[in-house]
Amino acid sequence: MFRVLKAMVVTLASLSILATSCTIDSGESSLEEETYLTAGPMGYAALIRRTSDGVPHVLAEDLPGAVFGQGYASAEDHPCDLVDQIIMINSGRSAIFGPGDDDENLDTDFGWAALGLVNLAADDFKASSDEDKKLYEAFAAGWNTRFDQVGTDGIEDWCTGAEWMSNVTAEQIYAYGRSIMLLASSGRFIDYIGQAQPPGAESSQTETTDEVAFAAALKTSDNSESLGSNGWALGPERSESGNAMLVGNPHFPWIGQLRFSEIQLTTEDGIDVYGAQLLGVPLLGIGFNDDVAWTYTVSAGSRFTAYDMELAPDDPTSYVKDGEVIPMESREITIEVADGDSTEEKTRTYYSTEYGPVLNFPGLGWTDAQTISYRDANIANTEFPRQLQAMAESDSLQDLIDANQTYQGVPVFNTIAAGADGGTWYADTSATPNLSEESLSAYAARLETDVITKAAAESRAILLQGNTSRDDWVDDPAAPWPGILPWSELPMIERSDYVMNANDSYWVPNSEELIEGAFSPLQGLAGTARSVRTLQNFAVLDDTSKDGPAGEDGLFSLQELAAASLLDGAYYETQWRKGVVEHCEAADGSVESKELKSAKNGIFLKASDVDLTDSCKVLDEWDGSYDVGSSGAVLWREFIEQVTPNKLWKNQFDPEEPASTPSGLGNPVIDGEDEVLPALASAVALLEDLDIDIDASLGDLQYDARNPEDRIGLPGGLGSEGVTNVIANGADSSETMQVQPENPKPLVKGSTITEDGYPISYGTSILLIVDFAEDGPSAKSILTYGQVGDRENPEFTTQTLDFAAKQLKDVLFTQDAIKGDVGLEEVRVSA
């Protein structure tokens, strides 16, 4: 009922505008004086109201009109990135920018062309419903309206004046959205697809088996470390208001294409949703409306299976399966390559098995005897956009669950959700290959005996045998598309206290209840130790002491939950620091440090005698947090990066207590060797060698690398330190052609410190905290890297400074709150 009443208020409070071609009006008229935005039958119209925090609140008659406004706002804030990515997935970089260093652009162009996603997406788009097409057409119309108004020279972003900037089409936006869904599968392997040529072919990179190189390449391609998140949903048992609450905290890059934009979409027909979406994509990825809030964390499950292909004798372009020789499918691809003022053409022939493209994977390559192919669970996923719309329209938590079940379109994420009715829900419904029990048993046996299979598994890649149909995917008629697990075989749980996920598998969504059952190991492993970041998440949520983050009553208010999200404590610190200090103070005289190896090669620092007296005091007086002004966090970080944690736990992992073990500091001296003091001495020696005080404040070294001149000190820590507010150096995560500030590299093996400190360009991105109440939701948020992409715009760092001060903004969700904003600016647009 509240949503219906609110929709009526929105309707009465809005203004009208007739659809004309590419119009814009920034008049001053008040909302109360006019009726709702309307557009002609073939047009779009929207009112975009920018509040002082830069967030666009879009009003329109219907969802296509709102998405039209979203497209327009996207072209205002980040015009360059969408076109850049469209060029990339359409294999056009070499024609514009040349082949790139070491043929990087050329391999990427060939890789996307060989994958064939753009052609597949074009066919799927043509076959989609008129309703689905309308949203992409609306987004494109909004984006093009803005671009046509300002032109290439009027763009305020990194591509101002670029000749390659152009209008976009609905089909291109749809294809780009599909490419994002392949982040944890085909997106990992584009270059390896592009480099895949059979033995003897020009540009072939045939290799012999090298499990070390294979493992290193897999680790490099595994983006799980650069795509993390925390997600919390709290029920009435943990909420001060007695209502449900949500924390969405994606840890994503601060540079490049995988940034978020904050936005609100409101329509006359009842949709009113606030949240964030990745740049250049319609609708919202995480968000809330009057009745439900949801967020995502990257799943620990597998989105693809790789296949070790046995090749036919004397024919490396045919493979053997069940004793039969099967020719690979081949396709000749030509790419245009800029060469000065002219272009030339490069042609390669690409091959695919029945599973998918062939990979030239380092360490295995493509020899006369074998190669690697793979099958992608999300290559045929057309359901996610429909699901996002259904979730935005949900009137209850059950509606949201039903939307997930109807479409089952989540590509790579866990879902954490809270309803205004008080319920919370966790599920991993992401697309997962469906293997038979026989295949899974054979795979488990290979893990024990085959080093290549084991190396793949350590980077969350499932390597199967391509010479037997035993390892083919199983088609289940209940699944939304062939070869993936159906809804009935996916892990999920509802609770009234809380559910959470921090990128570990589904097994432990709550410290008091496990999700147990016969789930596929491709969903992630059960019965295994959780990460120290997950353990710290549990420590924060489970702390009901009077001095805990939820206050004396042990129940979270909105403000307390926001503060808890940025608490910046660390699991290792709470478990080890007291014992380390006591052991340090008991040391007699100086301690010899370890020899530190250079991150490149050779020795960075020789072993030496180090006096630990002052370092003991620094750690003892440290406040235990990773705040900007914390003295001791730097020394502790370098210490943690020099120890071997598994040796030092007092209580090893216990599957009966997975949310609180391992824990405690065990004996620092193991088999006669001190595991603590030499590591601490090494940390001291390294800092002294770099002329850094051992009591330096974290904010003096940890800074926003996007604008190194401003040197904005930042709070937070590494996930590997057990900090929930994760920030790190993510400079290598950008896939755009934008020139980034020079990124200093780590100096020492195992350490993240550079000659310039700790440059940060990844981590907590959009932080959204929601509390449902009787009169509607209240929320706080921050977009750490700001709403705009233009580095010359003051808003580029405004929210970064707020993040440094841990000051979240109040979300302006109601019409009264938006209209009351002192910095409100209105723009009416139509096309």
Side-chain angles (χ1 to χ4, degrees), residues 334-638:
T334 298
I335 298 293
E336 286 192 358
V337 184
D339 183 12
D341 294 331
S342 61
T343 60
E344 61 176 332
E345 292 185 342
K346 296 282 188 179
T347 300
R348 297 177 187 171
T349 301
Y350 283 89
Y351 297 85
S352 296
T353 70
E354 63 194 85
Y355 303 113
V358 173
L359 302 175
N360 189 49
F361 214 92
L364 293 182
W366 190 342
T367 70
D368 289 326
Q370 64 87 233
T371 191
I372 297 289
S373 185
Y374 75 100
R375 184 175 177 183
D376 190 330
N378 276 306
I379 198 73
N381 185 351
T382 63
E383 304 300 312
F384 197 36
R386 298 187 189 96
Q387 181 173 317
L388 290 179
Q389 180 177 346
M391 292 169 69
E393 296 172 344
S394 295
D395 291 323
S396 66
L397 181 60
Q398 188 57 53
D399 273 357
L400 182 137
I401 295 172
D402 291 344
N404 278 264
Q405 183 173 6
T406 298
Y407 298 104
Q408 202 180 318
V410 175
V412 64
F413 307 119
N414 302 283
T415 305
I416 299 94
D421 53 7
T424 69
W425 182 62
Y426 161 81
D428 184 354
T429 65
S430 45
T432 305
N434 187 4
L435 296 178
S436 68
E437 288 299 325
E438 183 184 10
S439 175
L440 291 172
S441 295
Y443 173 70
R446 290 187 78 198
L447 276 175
E448 299 297 322
T449 59
D450 185 73
V451 292
I452 296 295
T453 303
K454 185 176 181 180
E458 289 173 353
S459 290
R460 302 202 292 194
I462 308 298
L463 181 60
L464 304 175
Q465 292 180 283
N467 63 357
T468 169
S469 56
R470 177 202 66 208
D471 286 353
D472 289 353
W473 294 5
V474 177
D475 292 344
D476 190 313
W481 61 89
I484 68 168
L485 291 171
W487 179 265
S488 61
E489 297 184 29
L490 302 176
M492 59 191 71
I493 191 173
E494 293 184 65
R495 287 188 64 89
S496 58
D497 54 354
Y498 75 85
V499 293
M500 64 76 63
N501 184 266
N503 306 119
D504 275 316
S505 74
Y506 64 86
W507 182 48
V508 193
N510 180 284
S511 61
E512 299 296 325
E513 184 175 2
L514 307 178
I515 297 180
E516 297 181 294
F519 298 109
S520 169
L522 273 67
Q523 287 287 149
L525 299 179
T528 57
R530 308 290 90 178
S531 73
V532 286
R533 175 163 62 90
T534 290
L535 296 178
Q536 182 64 12
N537 274 265
F538 280 125
V540 172
L541 287 169
D542 288 336
D543 186 355
T544 56
S545 67
K546 66 177 183 178
D547 296 323
E552 290 189 6
D553 59 4
L555 303 175
F556 283 103
S557 67
L558 179 64
Q559 184 62 43
E560 287 169 338
L561 194 59
S565 303
L566 297 174
L567 201 56
D568 289 332
Y571 192 74
Y572 280 128
E573 184 276 328
T574 60
Q575 301 299 313
W576 286 3
R577 180 164 65 104
K578 181 179 179 181
V580 168
V581 169
E582 290 175 350
H583 186 56
C584 180
E585 291 175 340
D588 184 18
S590 61
V591 174
E592 186 177 40
S593 67
K594 298 186 294 183
E595 186 176 72
L596 298 180
K597 296 182 179 179
S598 169
K600 296 180 179 179
N601 52 59
I603 303 302
F604 183 85
L605 200 60
K606 294 181 179 180
S608 62
D609 289 336
V610 177
D611 186 344
L612 295 181
T613 304
D614 291 340
S615 60
C616 299
K617 184 178 180 181
V618 168
L619 293 183
D620 185 40
E621 295 177 352
W622 176 33
D623 62 10
S625 72
Y626 283 71
D627 287 334
V628 170
S630 294
S631 296
V634 172
L635 177 59
W636 185 259
R637 171 175 292 174
E638 294 306 321

Side-chain angles (χ1 to χ4, degrees), residues 583 647-648 667-678:
H583 186 56
K647 292 184 177 182
L648 290 174
N667 189 346
V669 180
I670 301 174
D671 296 332
E673 288 194 24
D674 195 318
E675 296 291 333
V676 168
L677 296 184

Side-chain angles (χ1 to χ4, degrees), residues 33 64 153 170 196 222 225 277 305 428 431 481 505 734:
E33 296 171 353
D153 292 335
D222 182 10
E225 289 297 318
Q277 179 62 294
T305 57
D428 184 354
W481 61 89
S505 74
S734 175

